[in-house]
Amino acid sequence: MTEVPTYGMLINGESRETGEWLEIRNPQDDSLAARVARGSTAEIDEAVTAAKRAFNSGVWSKRSPVERSRVMADIAEKMAERIEDLVHVEMIANGATVRQATGFHVGIAIQHFSYFAELAGTYEFETALPPQTYPTLGQNIIRREPIGVCGAISPWNFPLVLTLWKIGPAIAAGNSIVVKPDEKTPLSLLEFGRIAEECGLPPGVLNIVPGEGVDAGARLVSHPDVGKVAFTGSTEIGREIMRSASDTVKRVTLELGGKSPSIVLDDADLQLAVDGVLFGCMFYSGQICESGTRVLVPDSLYDEFVERLVRRAKTIKLGPTDDWETDLGPIISAKQHQRVLDLIARGEDEGAKIVLGGGVPEGDEFRCGFWVEPTILTEVTNDMKVAREEIFGPVLCVLRYQDEDEAVEIANDSIYGLAATIWSSDNARALELAEELQAGTVWINDHHQVNPAAPFGGYKQSGIGRELGANCLDEYTETKTIYLDLSGDLESRPYDLLLSHDEE
């Protein structure tokens, strides 16, 4: 019998256990993959204290940007050396296939952390404004200084890359950080913590406390010594974080839910659009916040497009996640599995037609674990629950539209505004249409193209603030203005506006 590995949490450079454990289940077969020490309020308090002590000591915060950049570059290089280990723990915790985990979950994480390492050395922490001449001669200097202790609460779907979107800018700016990873998928973050400290990140700068949101997460958000919280997850939890963070007026970045539309125009390359729409929706079983789960198709193309979608989607292969031939893996958990199936049934009850999938795939290998077939629903209208709620499963809703104005109206008729996609052979037309969409990212003739140099975030209830981009360190710094008088004598000052009489 194979021994189940155990992981301690990371506090002040030490692996800590509490005597209580989180069970990490493999979504492929619901087997026990690992045990992780469970943290709660007390461990969050310890981690924040360690982070604050490390920050105040200057062991990291006072290092030069170039030095911080060098350490971070070493971390990215070490991640690349250990990519197989990181891929393995990612797969067994969140059900990603080996191709997806290698190319996206871990591969992009390494690329993006390398980008943050570069930013650490190039970011303008200090800028001098042109000298002012009125009312006196002086110089203003704008400084961007680290906040202090930052908190991060990360999701289960991309536990490594989406948490590095928070860790990278935070430590690049000189902060310390406490991370509360999702209790189902903390393994890759704990492996990253080991790598970071091996490469010279001082103890206490990065602390990782797996635990439940109701205690560990809530305490991190409310802690008075945490100056900023970054969260990726559901809009519902994002609202709670905003309310809690307001008690201490801490800064928040929220990357929340989405119901991204893919608009197929009547001049689209249909072969490209079909493959692109399926990639946009089905990749990682639709468990991505910016998945294109609503495809809007002109009435004139509707039947043909649906026929092409179904034919192509039938080629998607489900199977063991460690098989390089497997295209699609399982849903993350039993709870989410049931929710997806319930929403499919609700869609059918509301009048949608299941033209592909809709249930658990056949075969002995799918009897255990949390499997859902690639599912396509047609005759969906935008008032149906499946068109309005984030399903987080491999479920594509196909909607009709008559003209571009109606397509824009349907696309924007959502509480979300994270991303959108346009499929067209006319670039000018697509660019013009992109201006009408209420979304933080609009892809034209592609999907899931996340460039670390481009800001990422959403309109409306898809979030607050932006991650990635050349200015991502702004979210982890305070702005200070320093004024230096250059006039040199009393007579040149405007003090006579108040003190107009000589001393008697």
Side-chain angles (χ1 to χ4, degrees):
M1 182 175 179
T2 304
E3 185 177 353
V4 176
T6 60
Y7 290 76
M9 64 189 70
L10 178 64
I11 299 178
N12 199 34
E14 299 178 352
S15 179
R16 289 278 309 281
E17 297 179 3
T18 61
E20 297 184 5
W21 300 92
L22 296 166
E23 290 192 345
I24 310 304
R25 316 295 302 192
N26 189 330
Q28 177 172 266
D29 55 14
D30 198 26
S31 61
L32 182 61
R35 290 187 178 91
V36 175
R38 180 199 300 267
S40 60
T41 298
E43 287 71 39
I44 290 292
D45 286 347
E46 288 184 42
V48 172
T49 297
K52 184 177 180 180
R53 186 186 307 117
F55 179 79
N56 290 339
S57 74
V59 66
W60 182 255
S61 59
K62 297 299 183 182
R63 284 198 191 182
S64 71
V66 171
E67 290 177 311
R68 293 199 294 264
S69 176
R70 187 177 300 117
V71 172
M72 292 177 67
D74 289 345
I75 294 171
E77 184 176 342
K78 185 66 70 174
M79 289 174 68
E81 292 175 5
R82 298 191 185 172
I83 189 169
E84 291 185 2
D85 295 336
L86 292 169
V87 166
H88 172 70
V89 294
E90 196 87 340
M91 289 167 52
I92 64 174
N94 72 3
T97 68
V98 64
R99 294 205 324 259
Q100 293 165 7
T102 304
F104 205 96
H105 289 71
V106 178
I108 282 184
I110 296 170
Q111 178 203 16
H112 288 193
F113 197 78
S114 296
Y115 177 77
F116 299 136
E118 181 180 347
L119 275 185
T122 61
Y123 182 75
E124 290 190 6
F125 288 95
E126 184 173 301
T127 305
L129 298 182
Q132 71 176 51
T133 58
Y134 181 86
T136 58
L137 183 64
Q139 177 73 62
N140 284 285
I141 300 168
I142 311 301
R143 285 190 51 81
R144 307 288 308 205
E145 299 181 345
I147 293 170
V149 179
C150 298
I153 301 177
S154 56
W156 52 259
N157 58 341
F158 290 90
L160 185 59
V161 64
L162 294 184
T163 312
L164 294 189
W165 285 10
K166 300 155 182 57
I167 294 173
I171 66 174
N175 297 286
S176 297
I177 189 167
V178 177
V179 178
K180 204 295 288 183
D182 187 277
E183 61 273 15
K184 294 182 289 298
T185 57
L187 302 183
S188 58
L189 258 297
L190 291 168
E191 292 288 352
F192 172 82
R194 296 173 178 175
I195 291 171
E197 294 200 337
E198 286 177 21
C199 293
L201 191 70
V205 174
L206 171 62
N207 305 271
I208 303 171
V209 182
E212 304 284 347
V214 293
D215 50 20
R219 178 54 178 165
L220 183 58
V221 174
S222 65
H223 200 293
D225 288 334
V226 175
K228 188 265 168 65
V229 170
F231 169 76
T232 297
S234 72
T235 296
E236 179 183 4
I237 301 301
R239 296 188 192 106
E240 294 181 16
I241 287 174
M242 283 188 70
R243 284 190 286 267
S244 180
S246 69
D247 290 339
T248 49
V249 198
K250 55 171 55 72
R251 191 181 305 182
V252 295
T253 301
L254 305 175
E255 198 269 281
L256 307 176
K259 194 67 180 177
S260 301
S262 294
I263 302 176
V264 179
L265 296 183
D266 55 14
D267 62 357
D269 177 332
L270 294 189
Q271 183 176 357
L272 173 65
V274 164
D275 278 15
V277 166
L278 290 174
F279 175 70
C281 177
M282 302 295 177
F283 181 67
Y284 186 47
S285 297
Q287 300 175 117
I288 309 176
C289 52
E290 38 82 350
S291 291
T293 54
R294 293 183 295 156
V295 57
L296 283 54
V297 183
D299 190 66
S300 61
L301 291 177
Y302 193 88
D303 292 341
E304 179 185 358
F305 196 80
V306 167
E307 189 274 329
R308 284 172 174 254
L309 272 178
V310 171
R311 187 170 69 244
R312 188 69 170 114
K314 286 180 178 178
T315 68
I316 296 173
K317 180 181 178 181
L318 283 73
T321 56
D322 60 356
D323 186 342
W324 283 89
E325 296 299 316
T326 295
D327 299 318
L328 204 66
I331 299 295
I332 182 66
S333 67
K335 179 180 178 181
Q336 181 63 15
H337 181 255
Q338 189 59 54
R339 181 178 182 274
V340 172
L341 294 176
D342 288 346
L343 282 168
I344 293 171
R346 174 67 178 269
E348 192 172 27
D349 289 343
E350 291 182 333
K353 181 181 178 182
I354 300 175
V355 296
L356 182 71
V360 177
E362 296 181 356
D364 292 342
E365 67 269 37
F366 304 118
R367 291 181 180 177
C368 298
F370 316 120
W371 298 88
V372 176
E373 298 172 295
T375 298
I376 297 176
L377 303 177
T378 61
E379 307 307 330
V380 176
T381 56
N382 215 40
D383 58 344
M384 294 180 182
K385 192 170 184 178
V386 289
R388 305 203 70 79
E389 288 198 11
E390 192 173 34
I391 299 175
F392 245 55
V395 181
L396 177 62
C397 298
V398 190
L399 293 82
R400 297 177 185 269
Y401 72 86
Q402 298 299 320
D403 54 36
E404 285 187 30
D405 289 341
E406 185 183 17
V408 170
E409 181 181 355
I410 294 171
N412 290 340
D413 181 19
S414 172
I415 65 170
Y416 302 115
L418 187 55
T421 303
I422 299 169
W423 300 92
S424 173
S425 59
D426 186 334
N427 289 344
R429 182 185 180 192
L431 288 167
E432 184 176 349
L433 181 61
E435 296 181 9
E436 305 300 318
L437 299 179
Q438 298 168 355
T441 297
V442 179
W443 291 295
I444 296 174
N445 293 328
D446 214 334
H447 207 114
H448 299 311
Q449 293 297 321
V450 182
N451 185 333
F456 185 85
Y459 285 30
K460 298 184 280 189
Q461 294 187 40
S462 283
I464 294 175
R466 294 293 184 269
E467 296 184 298
L468 305 181
N471 298 318
C472 64
L473 269 66
D474 291 358
E475 300 281 358
Y476 293 86
T477 58
E478 295 283 9
T479 304
K480 177 184 288 184
T481 299
I482 300 173
Y483 173 78
L484 174 64
D485 175 74
L486 298 176
S487 61
D489 56 49
L490 180 61
E491 286 71 19
S492 62
R493 315 298 172 93
Y495 297 170
D496 59 350
L497 296 176
L498 173 66
L499 304 170
S500 59
H501 302 285
D502 294 335
E503 289 180 304
E504 294 184 359

